[in-house]
Amino acid sequence: MPIQTKLPKVGTTIFSVMSQLAVEHKAVNLGQGFPDFEPPQALRDAVTRAMAQGRNQYAPGIGLANLREQIALKTERLYGHKVDPVTEVTVTSGATEALFAAIAAVVRQGEEVIVFDPCYDSYEPAIELQGARAVHIPLTVPSFGIDWQRVRDAVSAKTRMILINSPHNPSGAVLSRTDLDELAAIVRNTDIVVLSDEVYEHIVFDGADHQSVLRHPELAGRSIVVSSFGKTFHCTGWKIGYAVAPQALTAEFRKVHQYLTFCSFHPAQQAFAEFLESSPEHYLELPAFYQAKRDSFRALIASSRFTLLDVPGGYFQLVDYSAIRDEDDVAFCEWMVMHAGVAAIPLTPFYETAPGTRLVRLCFAKSDATMAAAAERLCKL
């Protein structure tokens, strides 16, 4: 039976492709963005305890009440924004589900969503499945900042949503308060919803504060903010995230969420609730933890022929390989995993139009041993 695909541009994600190549060639995998070290022991113990206590059936669809209360407390403590845990916080099966549910809840057929290239590869398929169109605006290289005049020019009567990501994957760029003011001015007196992907919110370096849209009252009133416990607590495989939004947006969000996943892993929710209450120092110390890894990795590959771009946040290092080979980034990543034994992620799959740059993404959310092994190979290129 012939099938007409709803996603003609979508194939196997580049993360799966590069991870599979890493396995085949026994390469050090700095491609897919996951830590190769364990979550805190106390958090793992709390999950085990929750399972032993019988928390193995469905959790409430919107998330455990005690977890939503801890999320609300953390949000107010960090960003000065008071949210109602009953009507404005929803626990999800990872940030990817939250992003999809947010887009599906708000965006309608024939509308447009502004995204910024390079953008995470799950954004556009979620938009296209609503019968809508992603409007791509390239970020400025090498700072990966937003040209706000281009955003103004792109806004039309069809614009339903603007999707931002800070700290940014893959570049690590972060938005400033001035950026948020620019965004607020653009969406003011419109029906445009802001979707803010803030999964790396606790990984901002050099003493800077994360500029969440929740710090900006005007934006907070029209935004859905997506966060990830997996990124914060080194447990990406548990797939627990959450969304914070005003009551009206949350109500629409939950209509989709309840039929998409209904609820998320119950024991982990209980564990996160306990750990957030008992150990807030974990996320408060995360910037220093990852800054040390960033600095260590940069020092390890400083003698290589790669040019290192600045990393204000997140746990990825962009490197320019122009001095090593003159080929596109996908071909270079394939060559590097086969001939150097290190897997990276090319930037082209994050773009609507190939940028022609010679940049690839390396993940430094790795153990010291993994980083040292990768660096030894990279410095030989």
Side-chain angles (χ1 to χ4, degrees):
M1 181 177 69
I3 301 295
Q4 185 174 358
T5 179
K6 295 178 73 174
L7 294 171
K9 294 187 288 184
V10 172
T12 304
T13 173
I14 189 65
F15 305 106
S16 297
V17 170
M18 294 311 303
S19 289
Q20 182 59 39
L21 281 175
V23 171
E24 292 174 4
H25 295 278
K26 297 181 173 56
V28 180
N29 190 355
L30 300 188
Q32 196 166 2
F34 61 87
D36 68 347
F37 43 86
E38 294 301 319
Q41 184 64 52
L43 180 61
R44 285 181 279 158
D45 291 344
V47 174
T48 302
R49 189 165 57 250
M51 288 189 287
Q53 292 170 348
R55 293 179 176 270
N56 300 304
Q57 308 309 324
Y58 294 125
I62 61 175
L64 292 181
N66 56 341
L67 177 55
R68 287 182 284 110
E69 289 165 3
Q70 288 301 317
I71 291 168
L73 288 171
K74 180 169 81 79
T75 299
E76 185 174 11
R77 184 183 303 124
L78 290 176
Y79 306 133
H81 180 67
K82 188 174 180 61
V83 297
D84 185 338
V86 177
T87 62
E88 298 182 319
V89 179
T90 308
V91 179
T92 64
S93 294
T96 303
E97 189 245 314
L99 290 162
F100 185 95
I103 293 166
V106 172
V107 179
R108 297 171 291 239
Q109 186 169 354
E111 294 182 329
E112 295 178 346
V113 178
I114 292 175
V115 299
F116 300 95
D117 286 355
C119 69
Y120 191 62
D121 65 350
S122 77
Y123 297 168
E124 185 163 23
I127 295 164
E128 291 183 338
L129 286 171
Q130 314 318 313
R133 184 173 78 93
V135 177
H136 294 260
I137 298 177
L139 299 173
T140 59
V141 178
S143 67
F144 290 90
I146 296 175
D147 181 340
W148 290 108
Q149 186 55 53
R150 293 193 67 165
V151 180
R152 291 185 186 89
D153 294 342
V155 170
S156 72
K158 294 182 178 181
T159 305
R160 179 59 173 157
M161 176 181 281
I162 298 177
L163 203 170
I164 60 173
N165 173 209
S166 178
H168 180 250
N169 177 13
S171 74
V174 298
L175 295 179
S176 67
R177 175 68 189 210
T178 299
D179 287 315
L180 298 187
D181 288 340
E182 292 273 10
L183 176 58
I186 290 170
V187 299
R188 190 175 298 139
N189 300 320
T190 73
D191 293 328
I192 297 172
V193 173
V194 174
L195 177 54
S196 187
D197 178 351
E198 301 186 16
V199 299
Y200 300 101
E201 63 187 311
H202 299 299
I203 312 177
V204 179
F205 304 135
D206 304 313
D209 291 326
H210 169 56
Q211 293 301 315
S212 172
V213 299
L214 296 173
R215 291 185 187 272
H216 197 289
E218 185 177 0
L219 288 176
R222 61 164 70 237
S223 297
I224 302 171
V225 178
V226 173
S227 296
S228 166
F229 285 127
K231 300 295 190 298
T232 301
F233 295 102
H234 321 315
C235 53
T236 59
W238 294 8
K239 294 300 292 179
I240 304 290
Y242 60 92
V244 174
Q247 182 174 349
L249 282 174
T250 293
E252 296 306 307
F253 178 92
R254 289 175 176 178
K255 289 177 184 179
V256 176
H257 166 73
Q258 69 181 342
Y259 294 117
L260 187 58
T261 60
F262 177 65
C263 69
S264 302
F265 185 43
H266 192 158
Q269 289 194 53
Q270 178 60 30
F272 283 130
E274 294 177 11
F275 197 71
L276 284 171
E277 183 175 14
S278 67
S279 306
E281 67 277 3
H282 175 88
Y283 62 79
L284 294 174
E285 294 170 356
L286 208 61
F289 174 83
Y290 273 118
Q291 183 168 329
K293 287 192 173 294
R294 177 199 69 174
D295 294 348
S296 174
F297 184 63
R298 289 171 67 88
L300 285 168
I301 62 173
S303 63
S304 73
R305 292 199 289 161
F306 291 102
T307 300
L308 281 60
L309 276 65
D310 291 339
V311 185
Y315 52 47
F316 303 111
Q317 172 70 62
L318 290 188
V319 296
D320 188 315
Y321 61 86
S322 299
I324 299 173
R325 289 176 72 85
D326 183 22
E327 60 188 353
D328 69 69
D329 54 356
V330 175
F332 178 79
C333 284
E334 293 172 349
W335 174 84
M336 189 167 71
V337 75
M338 290 186 283
H339 295 277
V342 178
I345 295 294
L347 262 62
T348 293
F350 293 80
Y351 280 87
E352 178 183 44
T353 303
T357 55
R358 295 291 185 260
L359 300 174
V360 298
R361 191 193 82 173
L362 302 170
C363 178
F364 56 79
K366 305 296 178 183
S367 67
D368 291 346
T370 298
M371 288 193 291
E376 182 180 4
R377 300 179 185 194
L378 293 172
C379 288
K380 292 178 180 177
L381 294 176

